[in-house]
Amino acid sequence: MIRIRNLVKTFNGTPVLNGIDLDIAEGEIIVVIGPSGTGKSTLLRCINLLEQPDQGVIEIDGDAVDVGHASKKDVLKLRRNTSFVFQNYALFANKTALQNIAEGLITVWNKPRREALAEARSILADIGLADKENSYPAALSGGQQQRVGIGRAMASHSKVMLFDEPTSALDPEWVDEVLQLMKRLAERKQTMVVVTHEMSFARDVADRVLFMEGGRIVEQGPPQKIFAEPDDPRTQAFLRKVLRR
């Protein structure tokens, strides 16, 4: 369903993504792991064109875009096929939980306000926050804010959901409620690409784990293979470090 070829991104002449090739099947859960600064988040942001790649082709559900020369129409096409969950929630502070979820339905998908609000209420119920529809982000816990962020992504009914370290900004007590919601989405066969340091989530939920280092996909495979018998010495060294914490 998703095909990425020769995705390249540099910042001030420094390579960050070095020719990424990646295929993702419909309903597949991809978890991306690796040291900080190796291009994991940049990969997600380039798929969504939040960052402009230098070159490459991204094809989602048959729609191919030359991302190095993407037009406004191309950008809209990719963004309508993807949704993004940010590590810092990125909610509108002046809008309620209900309004945050409904906003994209109204402004991007041109749904009538009443219809958008009804769908947003349904999503709030689904994520266990029906009683928070009139609450502003400042009145919500970090876990609740991130669940609203995921609800906003759910509202787009996108082909693929992109998660950029969705629990890294959370206090430990809120991490599990966000991971449980993500697990429910995985059970529904929502295609997902997740950058995370939560190794237990990667082990339990991923169909495939990608290890990135130096802007490249160094190794990939089923979690049982990556965690038990990684082939590349860089993967082995990384896992030894993070798993003994």
Side-chain angles (χ1 to χ4, degrees), residues 2-200:
I2 300 170
R3 184 174 180 267
I4 299 170
R5 290 295 178 270
N6 195 32
L7 193 63
V8 173
K9 175 65 179 177
T10 60
F11 287 115
N12 299 319
T14 301
V16 180
L17 297 179
N18 288 296
I20 298 290
D21 292 332
L22 179 62
D23 292 294
I24 303 171
E26 184 174 2
E28 190 173 18
I29 313 302
I30 301 291
V31 173
V32 186
I33 64 172
S36 298
T38 57
K40 305 184 302 295
S41 294
T42 302
L43 172 61
L44 292 192
R45 295 176 71 86
C46 283
I47 293 173
N48 191 246
L49 291 186
L50 290 172
E51 296 283 358
Q52 178 68 48
D54 299 320
Q55 67 183 68
V57 174
I58 298 176
E59 180 179 330
I60 300 179
D61 207 24
D63 289 329
V65 174
D66 179 351
V67 292
H69 303 89
S71 65
K72 288 184 178 180
K73 183 178 179 181
D74 291 331
V75 172
L76 180 60
K77 184 191 304 182
L78 277 185
R79 289 185 180 167
R80 283 191 165 185
N81 278 324
T82 61
S83 55
F84 206 99
V85 177
F86 299 86
Q87 57 182 293
N88 63 348
Y89 326 136
L91 300 178
F92 295 109
N94 63 338
K95 296 184 183 296
T96 65
L98 181 70
Q99 291 167 335
N100 264 282
I101 293 176
E103 181 69 15
L105 294 170
I106 296 168
T107 60
V108 177
W109 294 98
N110 299 315
K111 288 198 173 184
R113 181 176 176 81
R114 179 175 295 183
E115 182 180 337
L117 291 174
E119 186 168 343
R121 284 192 179 92
S122 177
I123 290 170
L124 279 171
D126 190 18
I127 63 177
L129 293 175
D131 60 332
K132 301 294 185 181
E133 73 166 65
N134 294 316
S135 297
Y136 290 88
L140 300 173
S141 71
Q144 290 169 337
Q145 289 185 64
Q146 191 59 292
R147 283 155 65 193
V148 172
I150 294 172
R152 178 178 57 191
M154 292 166 62
S156 70
H157 300 288
S158 59
K159 302 291 184 183
V160 57
M161 292 177 65
L162 308 170
F163 293 80
D164 185 13
E165 300 192 23
T167 61
S168 65
L170 296 176
D171 291 333
E173 63 263 36
W174 308 125
V175 169
D176 188 62
E177 67 181 65
V178 171
L179 293 180
Q180 289 302 319
L181 175 55
M182 293 171 65
K183 288 177 181 178
R184 283 173 50 208
L185 292 174
E187 290 168 358
R188 298 174 187 179
K189 299 301 181 183
Q190 166 67 56
T191 309
M192 299 161 59
V193 183
V194 183
V195 171
T196 186
H197 293 291
E198 297 288 343
M199 295 299 116
S200 60

